């Protein structure tokens, strides 16, 4: 919907309100399924935010995250709120930025106990870089109450499961320490959002404020208002991160960026005869110029290339390079691309490229597939 938009999702009302307070003139946006978003801008007006409440649990968060991605086509999805801290050096009120998310309830039960079989999603490199820069600069602390001066930002794993952890000595707590002892925080929704982002080619960042220590004292921490304070810190960091991610109006999902257009230059070709000159300029005089293809190069057959891509996708699944869920999601995007290609309107061309961009996000870890999809995107834009 907007090239400079970010979706922010929360699970609790206190988290929602912490983000909403940072939006200017939020307007109600009703999805056809009944989901209600509030859409507003961050200070300065450069970043538009679509905010929604997903409720508790990874299942609901996955469904509503996918709904938001398809509706707003955001530059990124941020999941923002509170979590339990698992390490003593992560203080109440501190912010944890998830470098990766564990869906820790995956496992196999054997005679000698439960063995972990997690799914893991890493934050995209570019988003991680922006978040680290923001934490170093400390600029995010200028956007909320004075208590933020004591809050620090930590980078590490976040564990997302299906139960509330409030003990250090329970079986579940011991199992977590044994299998996921690098996790800084634990909560119940980030895995669903991360999976939705992965399947839809949208970058996801998880930002959590520490509101308790998952040690049996959650009621006391909540009574001391740490939920609201931690939610405010997480919202402040996330809002500043969103502004940074969209600050230059650049969609961070586009890995086939071209160099910025140059203006104010004139190039004169002084070559004679059959001489060839390579150029990069806004204006050219004294030449006949062919852009994007050699003279006589045939127009690429996108229908045939989509068919070849579909065959390659099937081969990668058959040899185990793609799991079944990723394969099915990628095939669905290819179906959308096929239909869009038959629509010879600007809207059809736009849908074609959007489907390919989502497909590229799904297969980015398979180099051969990712390269072919990127080439198709470039070809499609060249024919526009």
């Amino acid at each position: 919907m907007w090239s400079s938009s970010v979706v922010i999702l929360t699970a609790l009302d206190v988290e929602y309100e912490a983000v909403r307070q940072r939006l200017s003139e939020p307007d109600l946006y009703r999805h056809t399924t009944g989901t209600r978003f509030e859409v507003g801008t961050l200070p300065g007006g450069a970043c538009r935010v679509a905010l929604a409440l997903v409720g508790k649990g990874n299942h609901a968060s996955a469904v509503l995250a996918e709904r938001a991605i398809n509706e707003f086509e955001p530059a990124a999805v941020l999941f923002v709120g509170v979590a339990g801290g698992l390490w003593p050096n992560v203080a109440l009120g501190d912010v944890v930025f998830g470098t990766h998310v564990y869906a820790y309830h995956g496992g196999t039960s054997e005679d000698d106990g439960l063995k972990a079989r997690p799914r893991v999603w890493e934050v995209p490199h570019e988003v991680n870089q922006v978040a680290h820069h923001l934490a170093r600069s400390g600029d995010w602390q200028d956007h909320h109450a004075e208590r933020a001066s004591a809050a620090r930002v930590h980078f590490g794993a976040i564990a997302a499961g299906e139960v509330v952890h409030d003990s250090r000595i329970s079986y579940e707590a011991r199992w977590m320490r044994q299998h996921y002892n690098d996790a800084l925080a634990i909560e119940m929704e980030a895995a669903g959002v991360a999976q939705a982002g992965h399947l839809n080619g949208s970058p996801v960042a998880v930002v959590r404020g520490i509101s308790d220590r998952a040690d049996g004292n959650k009621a006391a921490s909540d009574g001391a208002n740490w939920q609201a304070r931690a939610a405010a810190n997480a919202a402040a960091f996330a809002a500043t991160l969103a502004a940074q991610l969209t600050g230059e109006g650049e969609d961070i999902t586009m890995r086939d960026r071209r160099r910025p257009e140059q203006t104010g230059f004139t190039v004169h070709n002084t070559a004679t005869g059959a001489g060839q000159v390579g150029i990069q300029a806004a204006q050219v005089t004294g030449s006949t110029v062919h852009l994007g293809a050699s003279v006589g190069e045939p127009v690429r057959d996108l229908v045939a290339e989509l068919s070849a891509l579909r065959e390659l996708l099937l081969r990668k699944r058959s040899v185990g390079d793609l799991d079944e869920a990723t394969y099915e999601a990628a095939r669905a995007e290819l179906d959308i691309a096929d239909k869009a290609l038959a629509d010879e309107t600007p809207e059809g061309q736009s849908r074609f490229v959007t489907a390919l961009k989502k497909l590229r996000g799904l297969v980015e870890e398979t180099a051969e597939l990712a390269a072919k999809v990127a080439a198709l995107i470039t070809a499609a834009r060249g024919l526009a």
Side-chain angles (χ1 to χ4, degrees):
M1 179 172 289
W2 303 287
S3 62
S4 59
S5 69
V6 168
V7 166
I8 296 182
L9 304 175
T10 68
L12 304 176
D13 287 319
V14 65
E15 302 163 343
Y16 186 99
E17 186 57 30
V19 176
R20 189 179 187 277
Q21 289 177 0
R22 289 165 173 81
L23 300 183
S24 298
E25 300 180 352
D27 293 322
L28 181 63
Y29 183 96
R30 296 180 181 87
H31 191 272
T32 55
T33 60
T35 304
R36 294 197 170 201
F37 297 86
E38 286 193 88
V39 180
T41 58
L42 293 173
C47 177
R48 190 178 293 264
V49 172
L51 173 64
L53 183 73
V54 302
K56 296 180 181 179
N58 288 292
H59 303 297
S61 68
V63 172
L64 294 190
E66 180 169 61
R67 187 169 295 168
I69 291 168
N70 290 331
E71 186 73 9
F72 297 102
E73 298 183 5
V77 177
L78 276 56
F79 191 69
V80 181
V82 300
L86 297 178
W87 281 73
N89 65 314
V90 181
L92 294 179
D94 281 359
V95 172
V96 173
F97 179 88
T99 57
H100 48 294
V101 174
Y102 293 131
Y104 67 83
H105 270 134
T108 177
S109 179
E110 300 180 3
D111 289 344
D112 57 346
L114 182 62
K115 307 297 176 61
R117 287 187 177 179
R119 295 203 65 178
V120 184
W121 299 269
E122 291 191 16
V123 66
H125 172 69
E126 291 173 274
V127 180
N128 193 33
Q129 290 282 297
V130 174
H132 273 278
H133 177 78
L134 183 59
R136 286 193 298 268
S137 71
D139 290 344
W140 67 277
Q141 296 184 351
D142 297 335
H143 295 279
H144 60 102
E146 63 274 6
R147 283 197 181 97
S149 60
R152 295 185 299 157
V153 181
H154 306 265
F155 292 83
I158 293 176
E162 302 300 332
V163 298
V164 176
H165 277 255
D166 192 24
S167 173
R168 291 287 191 189
I169 62 174
S170 67
Y171 168 79
E172 291 79 9
R174 295 195 303 272
W175 191 80
M176 283 294 302
R177 284 196 297 274
Q178 180 181 359
H179 294 283
Y180 301 96
N181 64 355
D182 63 331
L184 299 183
I186 189 165
E187 45 97 297
M188 299 175 60
E189 294 85 22
V193 179
Q195 175 73 342
H198 169 67
L199 293 180
N200 288 277
S202 182
V204 169
V206 180
V207 181
R208 308 302 262 177
I210 300 303
S211 60
D212 64 84
R213 295 190 177 280
D215 61 357
N217 294 304
K218 177 174 170 55
S221 299
D222 290 352
N225 203 37
W226 276 110
Q227 271 202 345
R229 292 156 69 178
N233 288 352
F237 186 84
T240 313
L241 176 63
Q244 291 282 328
L245 292 176
T246 60
E248 297 179 359
E250 185 176 35
D251 185 345
I252 61 173
T253 66
M254 294 178 60
R255 292 177 175 80
D256 61 337
R257 296 184 185 91
R258 301 168 181 173
R259 294 180 180 272
E261 294 183 2
Q262 303 293 320
T263 59
F265 296 93
T266 301
V267 176
H268 297 270
N269 180 4
T270 57
T272 59
Q276 296 183 359
V277 177
I279 62 171
Q280 180 179 339
Q283 301 177 28
V284 180
T285 62
S287 295
T288 299
V289 180
H290 300 273
L291 295 177
S294 300
V295 177
E297 181 181 351
V299 174
R300 301 181 67 163
D301 185 347
L302 296 182
V303 174
E305 295 198 27
L306 276 180
S307 178
L309 184 59
R310 193 180 293 275
E311 293 177 3
L312 179 60
L313 194 71
L314 183 61
R315 288 202 304 273
K316 292 298 182 182
R317 184 193 66 165
S318 66
V319 299
D321 288 347
L322 290 177
D323 60 50
E324 189 65 25
T326 302
Y327 170 77
E328 291 297 336
R331 191 177 67 171
E333 294 301 335
L334 271 178
D335 291 342
I336 294 171
D338 273 330
K339 293 178 181 178
L341 190 59
D343 181 0
E344 298 180 357
T345 66
E347 292 77 13
Q349 197 268 345
S350 177
R351 290 196 302 273
F352 180 73
V353 172
T354 297
L356 290 179
K357 286 170 59 180
K358 290 182 178 180
L359 175 60
R360 181 181 54 194
L362 291 167
V363 302
E364 62 184 351
E365 295 180 1
T366 307
E368 185 179 4
L369 276 169
K372 288 188 177 297
V373 177
L376 263 176
I377 293 172
T378 301
R381 288 174 174 158
L383 295 176

